[in-house]
Amino acid sequence: MKSPDFQPVSAVAHPNIAFIKYWGNRDQELRLPCNSSLSMNLSGLETCTTVRFDPLLHQDHFLLSGEVVKGAALERVSRFLDHIRSLAKLNVYAHIESQSNFPTGAGIASSASAFAALAMAASHAIGLFLDEKDLSRLARKGSGSASRSIPDGFVEWQAGTGDADSYAFSIAPAEHWDLVDLICLIDSSHKVVGSTGGHALAGTSPLQSVRLSHLQQRLEKCRQAILRKDFDQFAEVVEEDSNLMHAVMRTSSPPLIYWLAETEIILWNVLAWRKEGIPACCTVDAGPNVHVLVLGDHADKLQARLSELPGVQRIFRASPGPGASLI
Ligand code: DP6
């Protein structure tokens, strides 16, 4: 029988910043999270990925920014493509070429845009035409936060009860709210446990159950704040949720301490500036860099102030972004 004729397919996806964080899995393999989360896609930052399946290959071949990738990173991608091969019932390997326009080692969630772009490009390239929900479920298996980079704008990932209903959907389009994320890069050389290892430790903290106990209230408060564009309520719940996640990280065993002194300095200053009337708040992922969220009209002034703070090496600026798409 003649093997199918595979064409290359390219897709683009953006990273996202979580306002209500995903931390800890019920099922590590399927990436079924302990809790629902809420995020915003980041326009301006993007990963572009091209996939071509090739019946002549004996294993997947992965180029990241022009460099051949082997070892654990290739295995993670191959294991992810195995899900797609099994859905398509085709045992064929692929050429994957990917690049991002932001530094992937710098603590911006690059796995989210990477697996969202890969899910979209690879599923089309193998001849599967999944709807948004199934694409989000698929991307989730590569990286939990990637499920949230599939839909547009402001996105909720419902934890669900199992694989079938754990997916993300848009709660408001990117144009809904003029919010800016000023991503302050501080020490990007700081090596710590990555998010995948971190999720596995979440359950060792006595505070994880405390964090989860009021998760639904925070989720609802954050969703309403976004829908009503209520910045004060938004700032309160976003900072509370980030601080709770870092409390869990710090009290897990072994402890995960991601913040540096410069992280704290930004947090203190933004709090003080908010008291002066600047609508800004902070959230921090699994690294020392700080995402400062601010209403668009105040972004220029705030960016200038942040760039004066000690240790701020670079500031990336992003607005609410679209979901993943084919190129
Ligand atoms: C702190 O989605 O990067 O950024 O599923 O293992 O790839 P994996 O983890 P990942 O975890 C993100 C953790 C976080 C919070 C968040 O984005 O919700």
Side-chain angles (χ1 to χ4, degrees), residues 18 21-22 31 76 111 143-145 148 195-196 199 245 285-286:
K21 307 290 189 187
Y22 148 50
R31 288 185 158 82
R76 184 169 176 183
S111 64
S143 174
S145 53
R148 299 188 309 239
S195 0
T196 304
H199 290 297
M245 179 182 71
D285 279 343

Side-chain angles (χ1 to χ4, degrees), residues 12 16 40 76 114 161 280:
V12 60
N16 64 72
M40 168 182 111
R76 184 169 176 183
T161 55

Side-chain angles (χ1 to χ4, degrees), residues 296-315:
D297 290 348
H298 299 259
D300 286 341
K301 183 165 66 178
L302 191 64
Q303 184 163 353
R305 286 195 186 189
L306 287 166
S307 63
E308 301 283 299
L309 293 182
V312 175
Q313 293 174 356
R314 195 170 166 187
I315 300 177

Side-chain angles (χ1 to χ4, degrees), residues 267-286:
L267 300 180
W268 276 109
N269 276 284
V270 170
L271 200 59
W273 295 334
R274 188 156 81 243
K275 288 196 180 124
E276 276 175 32
I278 297 183
C281 66
C282 295
T283 186
V284 185
D285 279 343

Side-chain angles (χ1 to χ4, degrees), residues 202-218:
T204 66
S205 164
L207 297 186
Q208 172 75 337
S209 57
V210 177
R211 184 184 82 89
L212 294 174
S213 63
H214 292 96
L215 201 292
Q216 284 309 323
Q217 282 96 316
R218 289 197 302 283

Side-chain angles (χ1 to χ4, degrees), residues 5 39 100 117 162 171 190-191 217 237 250 252 259 284 294 327:
D5 197 13
S39 62
S100 297
I171 61 160
H190 194 63
K191 290 269 177 265
Q217 282 96 316
V237 71
R250 278 164 183 257
S252 60
W259 295 2
V284 185
V294 58
I327 302 173

